Amino acid sequence: MRIRRAAVGAMARSATVRVLRDRTAGLFLTAVVVSGFGTSAMWLAAGVWVKSLTGSDSLAALAVFAMWLPVLVGPALGTIADRLPRKPLLVWSNLVMAGLLASLIVVDSAGRIWILFTVLVLYGTSSVLMDAAESALVAGAVDARLLGDFNGLRTMAGEGMKLLAPLTGAGLYAGFGGGAVALLDAVSFALAAGVYALLPVREPATAPPAGRRGELAAGMRQVWKSPVLRPLVLAGSVTMLCAGLNGAAIYAVVGDGLGHSPTYAGVLYAVQGAGSVTVGLLAGPLLRRLPERVFTAAGIALFAVAVGVRALPYDTVAVVASAAIGMGLPCVLIAAMTAVQRETPDAVLGRTAATANTLMMVPNAVALALGAGLVALVDIRVLLPVVAAAALLTAALLVTGRRMGSPCSNEVESLGTADAPTGPFPSSTEA
């Protein structure tokens, strides 16, 4: 067992070096780190900013929802990413957002709060659009043997920023107000635009439009007709639904279960983020050693067990469970988006990536809202084990369900070998 762990660790280090030596992959990761730092700081500050200007908890919650809302129209935004040159789209989207964020320095009263909400909706729109464009560019620009490792490192970089940036954002807000945080984010977008401008990518010519209905449905058709993508994305949808219910129960776990103040949730989120950073480093090597479905199911099972034991009223169990959730939950996202990038033709890759992201993220948001009501009605000692059982069933069905009969099963199995290349990740710390 020690030898096996050492081998996986050595593979992870080797793969990390190979990714970082690849200029294109390194530039993509740099852009993720730079823009992710500003985004994470702004994500925290937006709600606090609205609360301080209006005194309304509901409007503060709506600020976060405004950033998330455009995920609902992900397939349409993905279509734009397929119809426009993707590198210029990334550069100009970042520059436009830099300008919009800089304009928020005028928001200094409740009467101007509409400006902040408008920018937050556009913020979410640009995030979905740029994620789709980036996923498509990565699939064609990064060495196919490094795509799985790249997606893991992308997750690690994003989660790492979520551990560091909120503290910076909170400090800036306390000292200088929301405008300072907005300017920090604006600078991060401007720097990311510069990094994207350096990408040495060549893009194929875009295909002619196939009609509005066909355009919007192309991503869904690509996911649904694929025996590789469909089970992974469906498993991701169910898992993120369970993650939303688990996330809604966090304050009940902290208060009713552990007897701590609500601020203790920050400790658990930090531990969960550390778990996500760890699995981001190991995801690439593990995807080469395991079939995608097995890797995904193992992550879902780890997440499920951790959610179940969260019902126990022990601090040590809660901390270990949070780390396990952080390690297990990103597996399904990394594997699903890796498969999307490998299995999808370039002409529809942007909208397929956006569609898959919508199918997996919307259930999480719905479950967060549903879970807020369930926590008031159902004891967490009942709710969390039920959620865990649903996630475990999902993992079991993913491994046993018609995989051997799939026309692509041999291909999927071969991708799990140590020598086979893998194809080509929101966020586990909020779930």
Side-chain angles (χ1 to χ4, degrees):
M1 183 63 72
R2 290 181 179 177
I3 294 175
R4 182 174 297 179
R5 286 200 201 103
V8 173
M11 288 177 62
R13 290 190 295 272
S14 175
T16 300
V17 171
R18 293 202 308 274
V19 170
L20 295 179
R21 284 180 176 174
D22 184 286
R23 181 170 181 264
T24 303
L27 287 171
F28 271 117
L29 288 174
T30 301
V32 169
V33 170
V34 170
S35 62
F37 187 87
T39 296
S40 297
M42 189 64 190
W43 189 275
L44 171 67
V48 179
W49 197 352
V50 172
K51 169 70 174 177
S52 66
L53 291 178
T54 66
S56 171
D57 291 327
S58 297
L59 286 176
L62 192 60
V64 176
F65 179 76
M67 298 175 74
W68 174 89
L69 183 62
V71 173
L72 293 172
V73 292
L77 295 173
T79 300
I80 297 174
D82 283 335
R83 290 291 161 244
L84 296 177
R86 290 158 181 158
K87 176 180 171 180
L89 179 61
L90 287 171
V91 173
W92 283 106
S93 294
N94 277 277
L95 289 176
V96 168
M97 282 311 305
L100 288 173
L101 284 162
S103 73
L104 291 181
I105 59 174
V106 304
V107 179
D108 55 3
S109 66
R112 293 181 173 179
I113 203 68
W114 65 270
I115 300 175
L116 176 57
F117 276 103
T118 301
V119 172
L120 291 178
V121 172
L122 293 174
Y123 199 122
T125 301
S126 70
S127 294
V128 175
L129 183 61
M130 288 190 289
D131 279 347
E134 183 189 290
S135 294
L137 272 183
V138 164
V142 176
D143 188 334
R145 293 168 296 181
L146 301 177
L147 288 171
D149 301 284
F150 172 86
N151 282 330
L153 290 175
R154 188 189 193 284
T155 297
M156 183 182 75
E159 295 298 332
M161 290 304 98
K162 290 170 186 174
L163 293 176
L164 300 175
L167 295 176
T168 303
L172 270 179
Y173 186 89
F176 305 99
V181 183
L183 288 176
L184 170 68
D185 203 5
V187 170
S188 76
F189 272 105
L191 291 175
V195 174
Y196 282 126
L198 297 175
L199 286 172
V201 295
R202 295 181 180 178
E203 301 185 59
T206 57
R212 182 175 298 177
R213 181 177 298 179
E215 287 278 283
L216 296 179
M220 180 65 75
R221 287 198 304 269
Q222 184 67 29
V223 170
W224 196 253
K225 75 180 182 181
S226 170
V228 176
L229 301 184
R230 185 173 65 247
L232 289 174
V233 172
L234 289 178
S237 297
V238 177
T239 303
M240 294 309 293
L241 181 74
C242 294
L245 294 173
N246 169 66
I250 181 64
Y251 291 106
V253 169
V254 169
D256 300 338
L258 303 177
H260 292 296
S261 69
T263 57
Y264 189 73
V267 175
L268 299 183
Y269 278 136
V271 173
Q272 187 171 323
S276 297
V277 169
T278 301
V279 82
L281 183 63
L282 298 175
L286 289 174
L287 275 170
R288 280 195 294 275
R289 297 172 67 90
L290 298 171
E292 276 175 337
R293 290 200 189 188
V294 174
F295 170 79
T296 304
I300 297 172
L302 177 61
F303 161 77
V305 172
V307 169
V309 301
R310 254 188 171 178
L312 299 175
Y314 304 109
D315 283 359
T316 301
V317 172
V319 170
V320 173
S322 293
I325 289 171
M327 294 185 68
L329 189 56
C331 292
V332 65
L333 302 177
I334 293 171
M337 295 310 293
T338 293
V340 165
Q341 289 174 308
R342 187 189 67 241
E343 298 288 329
T344 308
D346 180 81
V348 294
L349 184 48
R351 78 204 92 154
T352 303
T355 297
N357 190 52
T358 295
L359 290 173
M360 291 188 289
M361 291 298 108
V362 170
N364 182 259
V366 172
L368 282 169
L370 177 63
L374 284 176
V375 168
L377 300 174
V378 183
D379 193 296
I380 58 171
R381 291 172 294 182
V382 175
L383 178 62
L384 291 179
V386 169
V387 172
L392 278 175
L393 178 61
T394 301
L397 291 175
L398 183 61
V399 171
T400 61
R402 298 183 65 182
R403 175 163 60 93
M404 299 307 295
S406 165
C408 296
S409 61
N410 291 335
E411 178 185 357
V412 174
E413 293 294 337
S414 70
L415 288 164
T417 62
D419 298 327
T422 68
F425 43 8
S427 154
S428 66
T429 54
E430 283 88 13

